[in-house]
Amino acid sequence: QKEVEQDPGPLSVPEGAIVSLNCTYSNSAFQYFMWYRQYSRKGPELLMYTYSSGNKEDGRFTAQVDKSSKYISLFIRDSQPSDSATYLCAMSSVAGGTSYGKLTFGQGTILTVHP
Amino acid sequence: SQTIHQWPATLVQPVGSPLSLECTVEGTSNPNLYWYRQAAGRGLQLLFYSVGIGQISSEVPQNLSASRPQDRQFILSSKKLLLSDSGFYLCAWRGLAVRAEQYFGPGTRLTVT
């Protein structure tokens, strides 16, 4: 079993739809959670960063963490064609200092928002 | 603000040739540095990480090596490329603040023919 499971999709939605992207994990030590967006042939860019459980909102994006269920989600409201990309979840159990800071990534979900 | 550069952007090399990919970070000191490889349609595979000059750790045994000759410079090398070395190579950095996120460069697309 992989430490982090992410539905690879592809996911195709019409413009304006609400998109839900999800990851499940097995390591209960994870407490830092990230979502990255990666456009084709580009490096991943950090979209959302959350610590421990709860919700975080940034514009049209909401990141949700449920540590009791070992489940994280990214919601995109009013999706736009420019949101078409691969979305990667990532998580870590440590942060800061000179620690290794390993991130464990999901396989990525390919999202297409069509006009 | 911090910026991360990678070059070259694309590279086509024959099997058995050497490789040198470079990554530099601006606007931060003593970052942790990482090399990843991303095969088509797959997730990110961590290859090497470095917590300081001359300090390199390898995640998986393979045909590649890494070096960190300066604080903000990270180099990925190979003496003889294999077909299986083809992929998208990404460099990333992380600061020393109490946060876990890494920031990625634009990547180098390597095709071994």
Side-chain angles (χ1 to χ4, degrees):
Chain A
Q1 182 189 7
K2 293 180 182 176
E3 272 194 299
V4 179
E5 298 275 3
Q6 183 176 7
D7 185 344
L11 186 62
S12 181
V13 302
E15 183 175 355
I18 297 174
V19 176
S20 173
L21 304 168
N22 312 293
C23 288
T24 58
Y25 62 95
S26 58
N27 186 346
S28 57
F30 287 145
Q31 52 182 334
Y32 301 91
F33 303 93
M34 288 134 275
W35 286 96
Y36 287 86
R37 177 175 62 194
Q38 185 176 22
Y39 291 115
S40 181
R41 296 181 172 269
K42 303 290 186 184
E45 59 177 319
L46 182 67
L47 202 55
M48 299 289 279
Y49 176 89
T50 53
Y51 168 66
S52 195
S53 286
N55 292 357
K56 182 176 182 180
E57 188 174 320
D58 184 0
R60 296 185 295 110
F61 299 90
T62 299
Q64 196 171 78
V65 175
D66 182 349
K67 290 188 69 180
S68 62
S69 301
K70 297 190 180 68
Y71 188 87
I72 69 170
S73 299
L74 177 70
F75 297 97
I76 307 175
R77 292 184 300 280
D78 188 25
S79 56
Q80 302 295 310
S82 58
D83 295 326
S84 298
T86 297
Y87 290 80
L88 298 155
C89 65
M91 43 199 82
S92 175
S93 57
V94 294
T98 56
S99 65
Y100 163 10
K102 177 180 178 180
L103 291 184
T104 302
F105 287 88
Q107 289 291 97
T109 300
I110 300 170
L111 171 68
T112 301
V113 181
H114 50 86
Chain B
S1 64
Q2 298 84 11
T3 308
I4 180 168
H5 303 279
Q6 284 187 247
W7 63 89
T10 60
L11 193 59
V12 180
Q13 292 282 92
V15 168
S17 64
L19 174 72
S20 181
L21 303 181
E22 189 165 341
C23 169
T24 59
V25 182
E26 296 177 356
T28 187
S29 296
N30 198 23
N32 281 13
L33 296 172
Y34 308 85
W35 277 113
Y36 290 88
R37 178 169 57 204
Q38 186 176 37
R42 300 185 66 181
L44 296 169
Q45 179 188 28
L46 179 64
L47 303 176
F48 301 94
Y49 68 93
S50 171
V51 298
I53 296 173
Q55 301 179 62
I56 309 295
S57 296
S58 173
E59 274 291 286
V60 292
Q62 54 205 325
N63 187 41
L64 303 169
S65 62
S67 62
R68 185 170 176 175
Q70 299 181 46
D71 181 43
R72 289 170 287 181
Q73 184 184 31
F74 205 20
I75 296 172
L76 184 69
S77 303
S78 174
K79 292 182 179 178
K80 289 185 178 181
L81 283 169
L82 306 172
L83 285 175
S84 57
D85 292 323
S86 293
F88 191 44
Y89 287 83
L90 291 158
C91 180
W93 71 273
R94 180 175 76 87
L96 296 181
V98 185
R99 290 179 64 95
E101 74 272 31
Q102 296 175 15
Y103 296 92
F104 287 85
T108 294
R109 187 159 303 278
L110 172 66
T111 304
V112 182
T113 59

